[in-house]
Tab-separated table of all heavy atoms in Angstrom:
chain	number	residue	atom	x	y	z
A	136	THR	N	6.018	18.573	15.676
A	136	THR	CA	5.326	18.942	14.465
A	136	THR	C	6.202	19.795	13.601
A	136	THR	O	6.845	20.703	14.059
A	136	THR	CB	4.007	19.747	14.778
A	136	THR	OG1	3.178	18.964	15.605
A	136	THR	CG2	3.331	20.181	13.447
A	137	THR	N	6.314	19.410	12.300
A	137	THR	CA	7.136	20.143	11.356
A	137	THR	C	6.250	20.547	10.168
A	137	THR	O	5.516	19.676	9.629
A	137	THR	CB	8.337	19.350	10.890
A	137	THR	OG1	9.020	18.909	11.999
A	137	THR	CG2	9.203	20.178	9.913
A	138	THR	N	6.319	21.787	9.692
A	138	THR	CA	5.548	22.201	8.554
A	138	THR	C	6.464	22.698	7.482
A	138	THR	O	7.362	23.533	7.780
A	138	THR	CB	4.572	23.343	8.937
A	138	THR	OG1	3.670	22.807	9.995
A	138	THR	CG2	3.713	23.757	7.714
A	139	THR	N	6.330	22.226	6.249
A	139	THR	CA	7.063	22.722	5.085
A	139	THR	C	6.152	23.138	4.007
A	139	THR	O	5.051	22.582	3.901
A	139	THR	CB	8.099	21.654	4.570
A	139	THR	OG1	7.306	20.524	4.161
A	139	THR	CG2	9.080	21.208	5.672
A	140	THR	N	6.517	24.069	3.167
A	140	THR	CA	5.711	24.503	2.081
A	140	THR	C	6.266	24.081	0.785
A	140	THR	O	7.465	24.192	0.494
A	140	THR	CB	5.630	26.090	2.095
A	140	THR	OG1	5.103	26.494	3.323
A	140	THR	CG2	4.792	26.577	0.916
A	141	THR	N	5.404	23.448	-0.063
A	141	THR	CA	5.799	23.003	-1.388
A	141	THR	C	4.695	23.447	-2.367
A	141	THR	O	3.683	24.021	-2.002
A	141	THR	CB	5.937	21.490	-1.469
A	141	THR	OG1	4.615	20.900	-1.440
A	141	THR	CG2	6.711	20.901	-0.352
A	142	THR	N	4.920	23.127	-3.708
A	142	THR	CA	3.958	23.453	-4.695
A	142	THR	C	3.258	22.214	-5.212
A	142	THR	O	2.657	22.201	-6.263
A	142	THR	CB	4.571	24.244	-5.818
A	142	THR	OG1	5.678	23.404	-6.382
A	142	THR	CG2	5.128	25.557	-5.406
A	143	THR	N	3.426	21.124	-4.456
A	143	THR	CA	2.805	19.909	-4.881
A	143	THR	C	1.256	19.952	-4.782
A	143	THR	O	0.711	20.426	-3.746
A	143	THR	CB	3.285	18.707	-4.003
A	143	THR	OG1	4.733	18.670	-4.127
A	143	THR	CG2	2.701	17.373	-4.436
A	144	THR	N	0.564	19.439	-5.776
A	144	THR	CA	-0.881	19.367	-5.782
A	144	THR	C	-1.253	17.898	-5.711
A	144	THR	O	-0.788	17.070	-6.475
A	144	THR	CB	-1.480	19.978	-7.019
A	144	THR	OG1	-1.069	21.362	-7.111
A	144	THR	CG2	-3.009	19.940	-6.990
A	145	ALA	N	-2.126	17.556	-4.787
A	145	ALA	CA	-2.617	16.215	-4.654
A	145	ALA	C	-4.113	16.160	-4.624
A	145	ALA	O	-4.729	17.136	-4.388
A	145	ALA	CB	-2.023	15.521	-3.404
A	146	GLY	N	-4.663	14.981	-4.808
A	146	GLY	CA	-6.104	14.790	-4.796
A	146	GLY	C	-6.471	13.656	-5.607
A	146	GLY	O	-5.587	12.931	-6.102
A	147	PRO	N	-7.719	13.336	-5.662
A	147	PRO	CA	-8.141	12.259	-6.516
A	147	PRO	C	-7.726	12.542	-7.914
A	147	PRO	O	-7.541	13.650	-8.367
A	147	PRO	CB	-9.738	12.296	-6.422
A	147	PRO	CG	-10.002	13.135	-5.162
A	147	PRO	CD	-8.874	14.072	-5.099
A	148	PRO	N	-7.593	11.447	-8.742
A	148	PRO	CA	-7.070	11.608	-10.111
A	148	PRO	C	-8.052	12.463	-10.912
A	148	PRO	O	-9.236	12.284	-10.815
A	148	PRO	CB	-7.068	10.198	-10.711
A	148	PRO	CG	-7.776	9.302	-9.719
A	148	PRO	CD	-7.763	10.040	-8.450
A	149	PRO	N	-7.488	13.459	-11.690
A	149	PRO	CA	-8.397	14.336	-12.429
A	149	PRO	C	-8.966	13.606	-13.609
A	149	PRO	O	-8.449	12.627	-14.099
A	149	PRO	CB	-7.439	15.432	-12.943
A	149	PRO	CG	-6.031	14.777	-12.916
A	149	PRO	CD	-6.072	13.748	-11.813
A	150	THR	N	-10.117	14.058	-14.095
A	150	THR	CA	-10.730	13.503	-15.210
A	150	THR	C	-10.385	14.344	-16.458
A	150	THR	O	-9.789	15.395	-16.340
A	150	THR	CB	-12.261	13.487	-15.062
A	150	THR	OG1	-12.778	14.824	-14.816
A	150	THR	CG2	-12.690	12.621	-13.917
A	151	GLY	N	-10.824	13.951	-17.592
A	151	GLY	CA	-10.517	14.663	-18.848
A	151	GLY	C	-10.194	13.698	-19.948
A	151	GLY	O	-9.770	12.538	-19.712
A	152	SER	N	-10.362	14.100	-21.169
A	152	SER	CA	-10.162	13.227	-22.304
A	152	SER	C	-8.705	13.234	-22.781
A	152	SER	O	-7.917	14.095	-22.358
A	152	SER	CB	-11.032	13.670	-23.455
A	152	SER	OG	-10.769	14.957	-23.871
A	153	LEU	N	-8.340	12.275	-23.540
A	153	LEU	CA	-7.051	12.171	-24.159
A	153	LEU	C	-6.922	13.176	-25.314
A	153	LEU	O	-7.853	13.604	-25.904
A	153	LEU	CB	-6.780	10.793	-24.682
A	153	LEU	CG	-6.658	9.628	-23.680
A	153	LEU	CD1	-6.623	8.297	-24.422
A	153	LEU	CD2	-5.416	9.808	-22.827
A	154	PRO	N	-5.635	13.538	-25.575
A	154	PRO	CA	-5.431	14.435	-26.770
A	154	PRO	C	-5.860	13.708	-28.076
A	154	PRO	O	-6.089	12.489	-28.078
A	154	PRO	CB	-3.903	14.688	-26.717
A	154	PRO	CG	-3.506	14.374	-25.346
A	154	PRO	CD	-4.403	13.291	-24.882
A	155	ARG	N	-5.872	14.477	-29.084
A	155	ARG	CA	-6.261	13.917	-30.386
A	155	ARG	C	-5.275	12.859	-30.888
A	155	ARG	O	-5.645	11.846	-31.420
A	155	ARG	CB	-6.328	15.071	-31.456
A	155	ARG	CG	-6.813	14.669	-32.797
A	155	ARG	CD	-6.759	15.909	-33.726
A	155	ARG	NE	-5.439	16.453	-33.843
A	155	ARG	CZ	-4.607	16.140	-34.825
A	155	ARG	NH1	-4.945	15.188	-35.690
A	155	ARG	NH2	-3.403	16.600	-34.915
A	156	LYS	N	-4.019	13.089	-30.657
A	156	LYS	CA	-2.971	12.143	-30.961
A	156	LYS	C	-2.149	11.827	-29.676
A	156	LYS	O	-1.798	12.804	-28.975
A	156	LYS	CB	-2.030	12.678	-32.041
A	156	LYS	CG	-2.678	12.956	-33.380
A	156	LYS	CD	-3.248	11.695	-34.042
A	156	LYS	CE	-3.852	11.983	-35.415
A	156	LYS	NZ	-4.409	10.755	-36.027
A	157	VAL	N	-1.920	10.553	-29.428
A	157	VAL	CA	-1.244	10.217	-28.136
A	157	VAL	C	-0.013	9.391	-28.361
A	157	VAL	O	0.101	8.643	-29.393
A	157	VAL	CB	-2.292	9.367	-27.260
A	157	VAL	CG1	-3.493	10.181	-26.936
A	157	VAL	CG2	-2.634	8.073	-27.865
A	158	LEU	N	0.875	9.476	-27.397
A	158	LEU	CA	1.957	8.601	-27.245
A	158	LEU	C	1.765	7.828	-25.912
A	158	LEU	O	1.563	8.480	-24.895
A	158	LEU	CB	3.284	9.292	-27.232
A	158	LEU	CG	3.804	9.945	-28.491
A	158	LEU	CD1	5.165	10.564	-28.324
A	158	LEU	CD2	3.759	8.991	-29.698
A	159	VAL	N	1.777	6.505	-25.954
A	159	VAL	CA	1.591	5.675	-24.805
A	159	VAL	C	2.952	4.956	-24.565
A	159	VAL	O	3.562	4.382	-25.450
A	159	VAL	CB	0.502	4.621	-25.094
A	159	VAL	CG1	0.351	3.705	-23.856
A	159	VAL	CG2	-0.807	5.221	-25.490
A	160	GLY	N	3.393	5.024	-23.289
A	160	GLY	CA	4.661	4.329	-22.975
A	160	GLY	C	4.544	3.591	-21.694
A	160	GLY	O	3.878	3.983	-20.724
A	161	TYR	N	5.226	2.469	-21.611
A	161	TYR	CA	5.360	1.632	-20.400
A	161	TYR	C	6.564	2.106	-19.574
A	161	TYR	O	7.656	2.308	-20.111
A	161	TYR	CB	5.493	0.160	-20.749
A	161	TYR	CG	4.262	-0.429	-21.254
A	161	TYR	CD1	3.869	-0.273	-22.600
A	161	TYR	CD2	3.368	-1.157	-20.443
A	161	TYR	CE1	2.689	-0.856	-23.072
A	161	TYR	CE2	2.231	-1.697	-20.885
A	161	TYR	CZ	1.863	-1.523	-22.252
A	161	TYR	OH	0.688	-2.019	-22.697
A	162	LEU	N	6.286	2.313	-18.265
A	162	LEU	CA	7.371	2.752	-17.404
A	162	LEU	C	7.732	1.549	-16.487
A	162	LEU	O	6.865	0.935	-15.829
A	162	LEU	CB	6.843	3.909	-16.470
A	162	LEU	CG	7.845	4.488	-15.503
A	162	LEU	CD1	8.970	5.212	-16.267
A	162	LEU	CD2	7.157	5.430	-14.514
A	163	HIS	N	9.025	1.215	-16.487
A	163	HIS	CA	9.464	0.107	-15.636
A	163	HIS	C	9.437	0.501	-14.189
A	163	HIS	O	10.369	1.044	-13.616
A	163	HIS	CB	10.901	-0.253	-16.015
A	163	HIS	CG	11.139	-0.600	-17.431
A	163	HIS	ND1	12.370	-1.005	-17.940
A	163	HIS	CD2	10.292	-0.564	-18.528
A	163	HIS	CE1	12.275	-1.256	-19.214
A	163	HIS	NE2	11.028	-1.014	-19.576
A	164	ALA	N	8.294	0.334	-13.594
A	164	ALA	CA	8.071	0.773	-12.217
A	164	ALA	C	8.451	-0.223	-11.179
A	164	ALA	O	8.780	0.114	-10.074
A	164	ALA	CB	6.535	1.182	-12.032
A	165	SER	N	8.397	-1.507	-11.544
A	165	SER	CA	8.704	-2.574	-10.628
A	165	SER	C	9.963	-3.256	-10.843
A	165	SER	O	10.401	-4.178	-10.142
A	165	SER	CB	7.591	-3.630	-10.607
A	165	SER	OG	7.432	-4.235	-11.891
A	166	PHE	N	10.763	-2.870	-11.914
A	166	PHE	CA	12.004	-3.435	-12.273
A	166	PHE	C	12.784	-2.515	-13.149
A	166	PHE	O	12.218	-1.522	-13.688
A	166	PHE	CB	11.842	-4.827	-12.950
A	166	PHE	CG	11.031	-4.703	-14.253
A	166	PHE	CD1	11.680	-4.573	-15.445
A	166	PHE	CD2	9.644	-4.631	-14.165
A	166	PHE	CE1	10.938	-4.469	-16.596
A	166	PHE	CE2	8.952	-4.508	-15.345
A	166	PHE	CZ	9.588	-4.397	-16.548
A	167	ALA	N	14.083	-2.791	-13.384
A	167	ALA	CA	14.893	-1.905	-14.299
A	167	ALA	C	15.130	-2.485	-15.675
A	167	ALA	O	15.150	-1.778	-16.643
A	167	ALA	CB	16.214	-1.730	-13.600
A	168	ASN	N	15.258	-3.811	-15.770
A	168	ASN	CA	15.389	-4.507	-17.085
A	168	ASN	C	16.561	-3.972	-17.945
A	168	ASN	O	16.460	-3.934	-19.157
A	168	ASN	CB	14.071	-4.359	-17.802
A	168	ASN	CG	13.954	-5.318	-19.015
A	168	ASN	OD1	14.559	-6.375	-18.949
A	168	ASN	ND2	13.152	-4.994	-19.973
A	169	GLY	N	17.665	-3.597	-17.342
A	169	GLY	CA	18.823	-3.179	-18.036
A	169	GLY	C	18.803	-1.837	-18.638
A	169	GLY	O	19.858	-1.285	-19.078
A	170	SER	N	17.678	-1.150	-18.610
A	170	SER	CA	17.560	0.148	-19.223
A	170	SER	C	17.694	1.317	-18.247
A	170	SER	O	17.704	2.493	-18.598
A	170	SER	CB	16.256	0.275	-19.947
A	170	SER	OG	15.133	0.062	-19.060
A	171	GLY	N	17.769	0.973	-16.971
A	171	GLY	CA	17.844	1.990	-15.938
A	171	GLY	C	16.474	2.385	-15.402
A	171	GLY	O	15.472	2.294	-16.139
A	172	TYR	N	16.456	2.858	-14.165
A	172	TYR	CA	15.154	3.277	-13.522
A	172	TYR	C	14.960	4.756	-13.806
A	172	TYR	O	15.886	5.535	-13.792
A	172	TYR	CB	15.261	3.012	-12.016
A	172	TYR	CG	13.959	3.335	-11.324
A	172	TYR	CD1	12.910	2.393	-11.325
A	172	TYR	CD2	13.720	4.494	-10.658
A	172	TYR	CE1	11.683	2.666	-10.681
A	172	TYR	CE2	12.577	4.771	-10.051
A	172	TYR	CZ	11.516	3.859	-10.053
A	172	TYR	OH	10.317	4.173	-9.435
A	173	LEU	N	13.684	5.097	-14.084
A	173	LEU	CA	13.303	6.467	-14.272
A	173	LEU	C	12.184	6.786	-13.285
A	173	LEU	O	11.179	6.100	-13.218
A	173	LEU	CB	12.783	6.687	-15.712
A	173	LEU	CG	12.342	8.086	-16.088
A	173	LEU	CD1	13.558	9.031	-16.057
A	173	LEU	CD2	11.733	8.095	-17.473
A	174	ARG	N	12.413	7.859	-12.501
A	174	ARG	CA	11.382	8.200	-11.518
A	174	ARG	C	10.197	8.788	-12.203
A	174	ARG	O	10.202	9.407	-13.206
A	174	ARG	CB	11.961	9.266	-10.562
A	174	ARG	CG	13.118	8.763	-9.683
A	174	ARG	CD	13.527	9.804	-8.679
A	174	ARG	NE	14.459	9.240	-7.724
A	174	ARG	CZ	14.717	9.741	-6.521
A	174	ARG	NH1	14.104	10.848	-6.162
A	174	ARG	NH2	15.630	9.144	-5.696
A	175	MET	N	8.989	8.508	-11.537
A	175	MET	CA	7.748	8.970	-12.137
A	175	MET	C	7.729	10.458	-12.425
A	175	MET	O	7.247	10.925	-13.448
A	175	MET	CB	6.581	8.616	-11.112
A	175	MET	CG	5.260	9.205	-11.472
A	175	MET	SD	4.605	8.668	-13.048
A	175	MET	CE	4.327	6.930	-12.691
A	176	ALA	N	8.230	11.260	-11.493
A	176	ALA	CA	8.268	12.729	-11.652
A	176	ALA	C	9.103	13.164	-12.877
A	176	ALA	O	8.923	14.260	-13.370
A	176	ALA	CB	8.782	13.401	-10.393
A	177	ASP	N	10.029	12.267	-13.321
A	177	ASP	CA	10.932	12.650	-14.403
A	177	ASP	C	10.504	12.158	-15.758
A	177	ASP	O	11.251	12.328	-16.750
A	177	ASP	CB	12.362	12.114	-14.061
A	177	ASP	CG	12.900	12.712	-12.830
A	177	ASP	OD1	12.562	13.812	-12.505
A	177	ASP	OD2	13.707	11.986	-12.148
A	178	VAL	N	9.317	11.563	-15.856
A	178	VAL	CA	8.841	11.102	-17.180
A	178	VAL	C	8.565	12.351	-18.070
A	178	VAL	O	7.870	13.282	-17.641
A	178	VAL	CB	7.525	10.308	-17.034
A	178	VAL	CG1	6.899	10.044	-18.439
A	178	VAL	CG2	7.777	8.976	-16.242
A	179	PRO	N	9.159	12.352	-19.210
A	179	PRO	CA	9.084	13.585	-20.085
A	179	PRO	C	7.661	13.927	-20.504
A	179	PRO	O	6.786	13.053	-20.519
A	179	PRO	CB	9.961	13.244	-21.279
A	179	PRO	CG	10.872	12.200	-20.822
A	179	PRO	CD	10.104	11.355	-19.848
A	180	ASP	N	7.486	15.177	-20.880
A	180	ASP	CA	6.185	15.695	-21.198
A	180	ASP	C	5.612	15.088	-22.527
A	180	ASP	O	4.420	15.201	-22.723
A	180	ASP	CB	6.249	17.191	-21.310
A	180	ASP	CG	4.855	17.840	-21.530
A	180	ASP	OD1	3.969	17.612	-20.615
A	180	ASP	OD2	4.637	18.452	-22.532
A	181	GLU	N	6.446	14.513	-23.341
A	181	GLU	CA	5.967	14.011	-24.637
A	181	GLU	C	4.902	12.899	-24.452
A	181	GLU	O	4.123	12.710	-25.327
A	181	GLU	CB	7.137	13.440	-25.443
A	181	GLU	CG	8.006	14.476	-26.149
A	181	GLU	CD	8.973	15.135	-25.251
A	181	GLU	OE1	9.074	14.724	-24.090
A	181	GLU	OE2	9.661	16.105	-25.679
A	182	TRP	N	4.883	12.201	-23.308
A	182	TRP	CA	3.990	11.078	-23.114
A	182	TRP	C	2.673	11.513	-22.682
A	182	TRP	O	2.516	12.459	-21.886
A	182	TRP	CB	4.608	10.087	-22.157
A	182	TRP	CG	5.975	9.597	-22.578
A	182	TRP	CD1	7.177	10.033	-22.125
A	182	TRP	CD2	6.228	8.617	-23.584
A	182	TRP	NE1	8.163	9.407	-22.806
A	182	TRP	CE2	7.605	8.509	-23.734
A	182	TRP	CE3	5.392	7.855	-24.406
A	182	TRP	CZ2	8.166	7.645	-24.611
A	182	TRP	CZ3	5.972	6.967	-25.309
A	182	TRP	CH2	7.373	6.891	-25.393
A	183	ASP	N	1.611	10.844	-23.153
A	183	ASP	CA	0.218	11.135	-22.745
A	183	ASP	C	-0.354	10.055	-21.832
A	183	ASP	O	-1.158	10.414	-20.930
A	183	ASP	CB	-0.684	11.250	-23.971
A	183	ASP	CG	-0.157	12.322	-24.959
A	183	ASP	OD1	-0.139	13.476	-24.545
A	183	ASP	OD2	0.221	11.910	-26.059
A	184	VAL	N	0.046	8.846	-21.988
A	184	VAL	CA	-0.476	7.725	-21.172
A	184	VAL	C	0.786	7.017	-20.648
A	184	VAL	O	1.679	6.589	-21.422
A	184	VAL	CB	-1.314	6.793	-21.947
A	184	VAL	CG1	-1.817	5.579	-21.045
A	184	VAL	CG2	-2.570	7.458	-22.542
A	185	ILE	N	0.870	6.793	-19.370
A	185	ILE	CA	1.972	6.174	-18.696
A	185	ILE	C	1.476	4.863	-18.066
A	185	ILE	O	0.629	4.911	-17.149
A	185	ILE	CB	2.632	7.067	-17.636
A	185	ILE	CG1	3.024	8.360	-18.242
A	185	ILE	CG2	3.810	6.314	-16.929
A	185	ILE	CD1	3.363	9.453	-17.177
A	186	ASP	N	1.929	3.731	-18.549
A	186	ASP	CA	1.508	2.440	-18.042
A	186	ASP	C	2.523	1.875	-17.108
A	186	ASP	O	3.741	1.724	-17.448
A	186	ASP	CB	1.375	1.400	-19.195
A	186	ASP	CG	0.104	1.681	-20.080
A	186	ASP	OD1	-0.863	2.300	-19.566
A	186	ASP	OD2	0.163	1.374	-21.296
A	187	LEU	N	2.158	1.647	-15.850
A	187	LEU	CA	3.079	1.148	-14.860
A	187	LEU	C	3.284	-0.353	-15.043
A	187	LEU	O	2.346	-1.133	-14.939
A	187	LEU	CB	2.487	1.414	-13.429
A	187	LEU	CG	2.192	2.846	-13.063
A	187	LEU	CD1	1.665	2.942	-11.678
A	187	LEU	CD2	3.410	3.793	-13.247
A	188	ALA	N	4.501	-0.764	-15.286
A	188	ALA	CA	4.810	-2.166	-15.569
A	188	ALA	C	5.536	-2.747	-14.384
A	188	ALA	O	6.598	-2.265	-14.050
A	188	ALA	CB	5.669	-2.260	-16.856
A	189	PHE	N	5.030	-3.846	-13.837
A	189	PHE	CA	3.762	-4.443	-13.973
A	189	PHE	C	3.179	-4.841	-12.630
A	189	PHE	O	3.945	-4.934	-11.678
A	189	PHE	CB	3.911	-5.725	-14.822
A	189	PHE	CG	4.254	-5.595	-16.210
A	189	PHE	CD1	5.548	-5.851	-16.669
A	189	PHE	CD2	3.284	-5.182	-17.166
A	189	PHE	CE1	5.846	-5.750	-18.025
A	189	PHE	CE2	3.651	-5.022	-18.502
A	189	PHE	CZ	4.936	-5.332	-18.903
A	190	ALA	N	1.831	-5.068	-12.569
A	190	ALA	CA	1.278	-5.766	-11.460
A	190	ALA	C	1.285	-7.219	-11.908
A	190	ALA	O	0.930	-7.573	-13.007
A	190	ALA	CB	-0.167	-5.298	-11.134
A	191	GLU	N	1.730	-8.104	-10.987
A	191	GLU	CA	1.866	-9.540	-11.362
A	191	GLU	C	1.113	-10.400	-10.380
A	191	GLU	O	0.880	-10.009	-9.185
A	191	GLU	CB	3.313	-9.913	-11.350
A	191	GLU	CG	4.096	-9.172	-12.456
A	191	GLU	CD	5.534	-9.678	-12.612
A	191	GLU	OE1	5.999	-10.414	-11.727
A	191	GLU	OE2	6.248	-9.252	-13.592
A	192	PRO	N	0.726	-11.609	-10.758
A	192	PRO	CA	-0.124	-12.398	-9.936
A	192	PRO	C	0.686	-13.146	-8.854
A	192	PRO	O	1.896	-13.448	-9.016
A	192	PRO	CB	-0.753	-13.411	-10.886
A	192	PRO	CG	0.365	-13.563	-11.987
A	192	PRO	CD	0.948	-12.157	-12.093
A	193	THR	N	0.036	-13.487	-7.783
A	193	THR	CA	0.681	-14.273	-6.730
A	193	THR	C	0.917	-15.743	-7.203
A	193	THR	O	1.779	-16.456	-6.813
A	193	THR	CB	-0.106	-14.290	-5.450
A	193	THR	OG1	-1.455	-14.736	-5.700
A	193	THR	CG2	-0.150	-12.869	-4.813
A	194	SER	N	0.050	-16.207	-8.110
A	194	SER	CA	0.183	-17.492	-8.815
A	194	SER	C	-0.591	-17.338	-10.141
A	194	SER	O	-1.438	-16.463	-10.259
A	194	SER	CB	-0.269	-18.651	-8.010
A	194	SER	OG	-1.719	-18.696	-7.942
A	195	ALA	N	-0.404	-18.244	-11.015
A	195	ALA	CA	-1.035	-18.127	-12.361
A	195	ALA	C	-2.483	-18.207	-12.304
A	195	ALA	O	-3.207	-17.612	-13.136
A	195	ALA	CB	-0.485	-19.260	-13.311
A	196	THR	N	-3.067	-18.841	-11.295
A	196	THR	CA	-4.536	-19.063	-11.208
A	196	THR	C	-5.185	-18.412	-10.048
A	196	THR	O	-6.391	-18.594	-9.860
A	196	THR	CB	-4.824	-20.571	-11.267
A	196	THR	OG1	-4.214	-21.199	-10.093
A	196	THR	CG2	-4.390	-21.266	-12.513
Side-chain angles (χ1 to χ4, degrees):
T136 300
T137 305
T138 302
T139 61
T140 301
T141 72
T142 56
T143 302
T144 301
T150 58
S152 60
L153 290 172
R155 183 181 62 90
K156 299 294 183 183
V157 300
L158 291 184
V159 180
Y161 287 82
L162 183 69
H163 303 182
S165 61
F166 60 97
N168 196 24
S170 58
Y172 185 81
L173 181 65
R174 293 187 174 200
M175 172 60 68
D177 297 331
V178 173
D180 187 59
E181 281 80 6
W182 302 100
D183 302 296
V184 180
I185 304 166
D186 290 330
L187 305 180
F189 290 105
E191 296 185 351
T193 56
S194 74
T196 58

